[in-house]
Amino acid sequence: MGMTYIPTTLDEALKLRSRIKARPLAGGSDLMVQSRRGIGLAPQFSEPLMIITELGELKGIRKTEDGTVEIGALTTPSEIASSTIVPWHVRQAASGMGAIALRNTATIGGNIGNASPKGDLPQPLILLDAEVVLVSLRGERRMLLDDFILGSKKTALGDDEIIKSVIIPSHDFSYLFYRKIGMRRANAISKLSLSAAAVVKDGEIIDFRASSGAAGPKVIRSREAENILKGHAIGEIPELLPSFLSAWDSAISPHAMPLYRRNTTKRMLSYFLTAINNGDDEGIVSEEADG
C-alpha cells in the first residue's frame, strides 16, 4: 500500500504535503476505487498517503453575519444535508449522494478534489458562485470553484496545497430547481443533474442561473444563456425560450450522450421557466417525472 501518515494538526499535514507530496485521504470513496488492484489485494498508490480525518481545522459548517456559509473540507454529505444553514441546492445534492454509508464517510473536499463530471456537489456549488479555499505553508488562496475544476479529474490544486473549505456567498432567490437523474432514486451515479435559480422582482428577471452536471468534462454553466433572460419581464419568457435553449444546447459537450442529455436538459429548463412564467407560488419547483 505504500507509506501512510496520520497528521493530527493542519500544520503537520502541510509540512508532509510540502516535503514528500503526500496525498490527502479522508473518506476515500473515490480514491480507493481508483487505486484498486483486484479481490484480496490492497490498493496500490503512486505516492505516499496522509489520512487527514483528525484535522479539526477542516471540519464544521459556519455562517457569517453577511450570510456567507463556509463548509470545512472534511464535512460529510450527511452533515451538509442536515444543516439548516447550508443553501437548499447543496443540501438537495448532498442528500442524494449514494448510500447512507457513503454519505457518512465521503467529504465535500474529496468530492470537489476528485473533479468528476458526475460529482454531486460541484454542480450546485458552481451555480452559487462558491469559492474554494486552498492552504499551504505559503498561506491561503481563494478561487472560484468553476475555475478550480479544470476538467475531468483535473484541478488547479498545487502539489503542496490542501483543500481547506468551501465558501458560499449569500443569495436570496425567488425560484429554485434541482433534479438528479440516475438509474434509480438511491445509490446511483448521476446520468444528468441540473440546478437552476432565479430572482424575480416586480415581474422582472433580475438574476437567472443554471448549472448542469454529467454533461461534459466539467460542470456546465452558460453565462451567455443566462444573460438572455436577465433584465426581461417574466411575460417575455415564451419568446426568449428558444434562443435561451439554443445557447444552452451549444454549451453541452458533443461527446456526453448528446441526444439524451440535450433533450432532457432542455425539458427541465423549459419546465422551470414555465413555472416562473406562470407565477408559481411555491418558489421551489420540482419535476418528479423521469427524464
Side-chain angles (χ1 to χ4, degrees):
M1 187 172 179
M3 293 297 296
T4 302
Y5 303 86
I6 308 178
T8 57
T9 67
L10 180 57
D11 183 65
E12 182 184 357
L14 293 177
K15 289 176 181 177
L16 287 168
R17 183 77 168 134
S18 176
R19 188 174 73 250
I20 61 174
K21 311 305 179 188
R23 184 168 184 175
L25 173 67
S29 52
D30 288 311
L31 184 58
M32 296 296 284
V33 172
Q34 294 169 11
S35 305
R36 64 187 175 186
R37 292 191 296 160
I39 297 174
L41 298 175
Q44 185 67 48
F45 303 99
S46 58
E47 64 268 283
L49 291 182
M50 58 176 176
I51 299 173
I52 60 173
T53 52
E54 299 301 312
L55 305 185
E57 300 98 323
L58 306 187
K59 297 179 180 180
I61 304 173
R62 299 164 288 277
K63 189 172 185 178
T64 63
E65 291 184 1
D66 65 359
T68 297
V69 173
E70 182 172 15
I71 305 175
L74 291 181
T75 307
T76 67
S78 289
E79 292 168 328
I80 293 170
S82 62
S83 173
T84 58
I85 64 175
V86 172
W88 180 83
H89 288 97
V90 184
R91 285 188 279 121
Q92 291 295 112
S95 67
M97 282 182 63
I100 294 175
L102 184 142
R103 293 197 295 273
N104 287 331
T105 56
T107 64
I108 187 173
N111 200 238
I112 289 170
N114 189 46
S116 168
K118 298 181 179 181
D120 289 278
L121 294 176
Q123 185 259 96
L125 289 170
I126 286 175
L127 174 92
L128 299 172
D129 292 326
E131 293 183 297
V132 60
V133 180
L134 310 173
V135 61
S136 69
L137 291 177
R138 296 176 285 113
E140 290 186 4
R141 66 183 180 117
R142 288 170 53 167
M143 62 190 305
L144 283 172
L145 181 59
D146 201 7
D147 295 330
F148 173 72
I149 298 178
L150 304 176
S152 178
K153 306 293 184 178
K154 297 178 181 178
T155 72
L157 184 71
D159 60 9
D160 63 341
E161 290 180 316
I162 292 175
I163 298 174
K164 182 181 180 182
S165 64
V166 174
I167 295 178
I168 309 172
S170 176
H171 297 283
D172 187 17
F173 295 117
S174 310
Y175 294 91
L176 307 170
F177 180 91
Y178 175 82
R179 183 83 162 92
K180 174 183 175 179
I181 297 174
M183 294 299 292
R184 51 191 180 275
R185 288 187 179 274
N187 199 18
I189 295 175
S190 174
K191 292 177 66 177
L192 181 67
S193 63
L194 182 78
S195 289
V199 177
V200 177
K201 291 183 179 180
D202 299 324
E204 180 182 338
I205 302 172
I206 305 300
D207 187 15
F208 183 91
R209 54 183 68 190
S211 60
S212 182
K218 60 176 287 186
V219 172
I220 292 172
R221 183 174 168 195
S222 173
R223 270 70 171 184
E224 177 188 351
E226 293 172 5
N227 289 334
I228 290 173
L229 298 174
K230 291 178 183 179
H232 289 274
I234 59 174
E236 298 178 70
I237 286 176
E239 62 184 82
L240 294 172
L241 193 57
S243 57
F244 170 80
L245 294 177
S246 177
W248 248 98
D249 194 59
S250 64
I252 297 176
S253 169
H255 306 295
M257 287 178 62
L259 291 179
Y260 174 78
R261 286 191 169 90
R262 289 178 195 279
N263 292 338
T264 306
T265 299
K266 286 189 288 187
R267 173 183 168 179
M268 289 189 290
L269 287 168
S270 296
Y271 182 91
F272 181 54
L273 284 166
T274 299
I276 295 175
N277 184 52
N278 292 338
D280 185 279
D281 293 329
E282 294 295 326
I284 296 177
V285 179
S286 63
E287 183 187 29
E288 296 300 332
D290 291 335

